[in-house]
Amino acid sequence: MRSVPIPVDVSKLAITCVKAPRPRVLNKDTGEIKTDKNGNTVYEVTVSVEDEFGRIELVKIGITGEPPISVGDQVNASACSATSGRSPAGGVSPTAPRRCSPSGRPPMRDALEVLAVLAAAAAGLWAWRRWHPGSFWLVVSFPLVALSVRASWRRVALGCNLTKKRQRFWFTTVPGLVASTGIVRVKRKWQRIAVDTKPFMWLPLPTRHGWRVTLHTLEGQTPGDYADAAERLAHSWGVHAIRVSSPRPGRAVLMATMRDPLVKVDQLPPSPDLLKVTVGRLETGKPWIIDFRTVPHWLNAGATQSGKSNLANALIVGLAPQPVALVGFDLKGGVEFTPYSPRLSALATSRAESVSLLCDLVGLMIDRMRLCRQAGARNIWQLPPGVRPVPVVVLVDELAELYLMADKSEKDEIAKTSMALLRVAQLGRAFGIYLFCCGQRIGSDLGPGVTSLRAQCSGRICHRVNDPETATMTLGDLDPAALVSARAIPAETPGVAIVASQDGQWYRARSFYVTEQTAEHAARTHAHLTPAWDEIIAHLPQPINA
């Protein structure tokens, strides 16, 4: 291989010999020495070249004949050039120089600059994601995720059994005769074959915590087929969860959640509307709102330390500043609701007191029924504001205690309690009486009264429970997938629950943490808004027997 002379200005270079000259070996096995065209031996000298800026490079120089230099000697560039017979302009002909950057700087410095730029870019992206994750998701993460989802949809659908066999004309490979060389001759043939067809997928659209995409279902498919494959789809795409809904026939919408939005829930601002309380956040990122005007009666089930009582505290904090009457049933002897008594118009702490208070509620409901009939109104909200009675929200803790029977002597008392509570649930909505029933154990073994009450409570909240029957009683007549999700709530996430919302769908949700001290402070602060129970029932003619 020839060495091509490269003219270099060496007037400002300091050249020092760092390795003694030695003949250049062409073949180490045979010991062949390189010679020039005249038969002279070519020697190789390794020198260090330092420029005016202090940058140093090692250069190997090929010279004909043994040069009279040793290690440490300063090399005269012009003399070296004359000796080597190279460029008369004083150039040096390196045979294997170290590669430099186009700017003339050492490659190590360029590499460090590139690493510094990459580190600064990575730090900027991390800060962007840390302090403004919403815009980072929309600008950076989502486009990459959308491309990945579209590109992998065919193989994901095939792996999740969401494809269908269809006849298509296709080029196929047909083996021909075997040639004498042993190679199989093949040819392409246009024929009709069965191929796997994937459902058509629209472009994914971003959401706050993930993305959603609309699919066209194939023949014979239902949204339930996609719901059954939701867990497989989530693992295939590496997302936290996928929910399936169907806005109209022939369409299935996949809602993907990239990460669990319920790991950390900040306190959301309360709703200013009457009988509407913001208690937490849904898995979709939207606020979790309990609206008694839309869903009048709620059933809240959960084991100890599951967040059931915390949700009741959130309701008290949200309802305390509103012009409503709060009535409590605390069958734990009053230990739960007694600290909130400044904001409670009435509180029952035993079964006997519960029977009396329920009878008052039934009498109040009948009186409001008469008032609406006289005014020609269907409910109290159609009455003029001047004569409209105050709404009543009934909070029941430990619902099972109202139905447990120790002996037959309590049978009549339990029957009165069950009948009165059921009548309030059936007729109370139109007359401004709303129920929020909490309990650890809600099962059919408590009697038919519990089953009938459950049927009247269209709002369902199921926290972590200890037995499957309670989850079944709470959510069993809804989507079976909701029941599976309720049983999968871990103990490490108190406040997480499955909620049947007013839109007919079910969601995972988590209430924000409300301490007892916060609820007590709200009860004391708004104690002046508490209507006296005696004044509410003062115009009743006599105690009504439920």
Side-chain angles (χ1 to χ4, degrees):
M1 182 177 67
R2 293 183 57 207
S3 296
V4 180
I6 303 176
V8 179
D9 184 8
V10 296
S11 59
K12 297 182 179 180
L13 299 180
I15 305 176
T16 305
C17 179
V18 296
K19 192 173 183 180
R22 61 180 180 180
R24 177 170 295 173
V25 179
L26 295 179
N27 193 326
K28 292 183 179 180
D29 296 333
T30 61
E32 181 182 359
I33 304 299
K34 182 177 180 179
T35 59
D36 60 7
K37 60 183 179 179
N38 297 324
N40 299 320
T41 302
V42 176
Y43 282 80
E44 185 179 79
V45 182
T46 303
V47 298
S48 65
V49 181
E50 182 178 2
D51 62 5
E52 57 183 336
F53 301 104
R55 294 175 294 192
I56 299 176
E57 292 286 345
L58 294 179
V59 180
K60 291 183 178 180
I61 303 176
I63 302 177
T64 301
E66 183 177 4
I69 57 175
S70 59
V71 177
D73 292 345
Q74 297 292 325
V75 179
N76 188 325
S78 60
C80 180
S81 173
T83 306
S84 60
R86 295 295 187 252
S87 171
V92 181
S93 174
T95 59
R98 293 182 61 183
R99 186 170 298 177
C100 297
S101 65
S103 61
R105 293 177 298 181
M108 181 61 69
R109 176 168 297 183
D110 288 345
L112 292 177
E113 291 181 358
V114 171
L115 291 178
V117 171
L118 293 177
L125 291 175
W126 177 88
W128 186 4
R129 183 180 181 183
R130 172 68 175 82
W131 301 111
H132 207 286
S135 61
F136 182 86
W137 162 247
L138 293 176
V139 176
V140 179
S141 299
F142 171 72
L144 299 177
V145 171
L147 292 175
S148 175
V149 170
R150 286 299 303 270
S152 62
W153 173 230
R154 178 179 292 277
R155 62 176 182 270
V156 169
L158 184 62
C160 296
N161 298 323
L162 296 176
T163 59
K164 292 289 184 179
K165 292 287 186 180
R166 286 181 176 176
Q167 295 294 325
R168 292 286 187 270
F169 283 101
W170 207 265
F171 276 112
T172 59
T173 301
V174 180
L177 298 177
V178 179
S180 59
T181 57
I183 300 176
V184 179
R185 295 178 179 178
V186 296
K187 61 181 180 179
R188 302 282 286 175
K189 184 178 180 181
W190 179 260
Q191 62 181 6
R192 189 176 176 87
I193 61 173
V195 297
D196 291 308
T197 304
K198 68 182 186 300
F200 176 77
M201 172 185 284
W202 288 92
L203 290 175
L205 299 176
T207 61
R208 184 172 183 178
H209 295 287
W211 48 268
R212 64 181 177 90
V213 65
T214 302
L215 304 175
H216 290 201
T217 59
L218 300 176
E219 295 84 354
Q221 288 185 342
T222 64
D225 298 329
Y226 295 85
D228 295 338
E231 185 174 359
R232 297 194 296 272
L233 291 171
H235 284 282
S236 299
W237 282 320
V239 299
H240 172 69
I242 286 183
R243 292 280 304 279
V244 180
S245 61
S246 179
R248 62 191 181 94
R251 301 292 185 270
V253 178
L254 306 184
M255 296 283 297
T257 304
M258 299 298 295
R259 57 181 179 83
D260 191 357
L262 304 181
V263 173
K264 181 180 180 181
V265 179
D266 298 327
Q267 183 169 343
L268 300 177
S271 174
D273 299 333
L274 181 64
L275 293 173
K276 185 182 293 186
V277 180
T278 301
V279 296
R281 188 187 300 276
L282 300 176
E283 63 179 347
T284 58
K286 296 180 179 180
W288 176 15
I289 298 177
I290 293 182
D291 186 359
F292 288 100
R293 294 284 300 274
T294 305
V295 182
H297 307 310
W298 291 80
L299 193 62
N300 178 26
T304 303
Q305 300 296 323
S306 66
K308 171 174 52 67
S309 299
N310 178 79
L311 182 58
N313 293 342
L315 275 178
I316 291 176
V317 171
L319 292 174
Q322 300 185 19
V324 298
L326 301 179
V327 176
F329 289 82
D330 187 359
L331 275 297
K332 286 183 180 178
V335 297
E336 290 288 343
F337 289 163
T338 297
Y340 314 140
S341 57
R343 187 58 183 86
L344 297 179
S345 298
L347 176 62
T349 59
S350 64
R351 185 178 293 167
E353 294 178 358
S354 300
V355 173
S356 175
L357 187 54
L358 284 172
C359 290
D360 289 342
L361 286 172
V362 172
L364 182 64
M365 182 178 61
I366 294 175
D367 182 72
R368 293 183 176 186
M369 189 184 305
R370 176 189 56 80
L371 179 62
C372 291
R373 184 173 61 250
Q374 292 176 354
R378 295 180 179 273
N379 52 64
I380 65 170
W381 305 108
Q382 295 181 359
L383 295 174
V387 298
R388 181 185 303 159
V390 61
V392 179
V393 178
V394 181
L395 304 174
V396 181
D397 191 28
E398 298 301 338
L399 180 65
E401 287 294 326
L402 293 175
Y403 295 90
L404 290 178
M405 181 172 56
D407 51 51
K408 292 184 178 181
S409 62
E410 299 179 345
K411 184 176 181 179
D412 294 339
E413 191 176 48
I414 293 175
K416 287 183 178 181
T417 303
S418 175
M419 183 61 65
L421 192 59
L422 182 59
R423 292 189 66 186
V424 171
Q426 288 178 336
L427 306 174
R429 181 197 65 83
F431 309 110
I433 302 177
Y434 309 99
L435 292 178
F436 190 84
C437 303
C438 307
Q440 297 185 30
R441 176 83 174 94
I442 301 176
S444 58
D445 57 325
L446 296 176
V450 173
T451 305
S452 301
L453 179 65
R454 185 196 68 155
Q456 298 298 326
C457 295
S458 54
R460 310 288 180 83
I461 303 172
C462 184
H463 292 81
R464 176 180 54 85
V465 293
N466 293 325
D467 60 298
E469 186 179 356
T470 299
T472 303
M473 283 288 292
T474 308
L475 302 171
D477 52 354
L478 299 177
D479 191 343
L483 187 62
V484 176
S485 298
R487 295 178 179 177
I489 297 176
E492 296 79 15
T493 55
V496 174
I498 304 300
V499 183
S501 182
Q502 49 261 32
D503 60 359
Q505 301 290 331
W506 65 270
Y507 300 93
R508 290 178 68 248
R510 189 173 191 178
S511 58
F512 54 80
Y513 180 62
V514 179
T515 63
E516 290 83 357
Q517 292 78 13
T518 302
E520 293 175 14
H521 176 73
R524 291 192 300 268
T525 302
H526 304 285
H528 62 282
L529 298 177
T530 305
W533 187 248
D534 294 337
E535 296 179 0
I536 294 177
I537 64 173
H539 56 282
L540 297 182
Q542 59 183 3
I544 302 295
N545 192 349

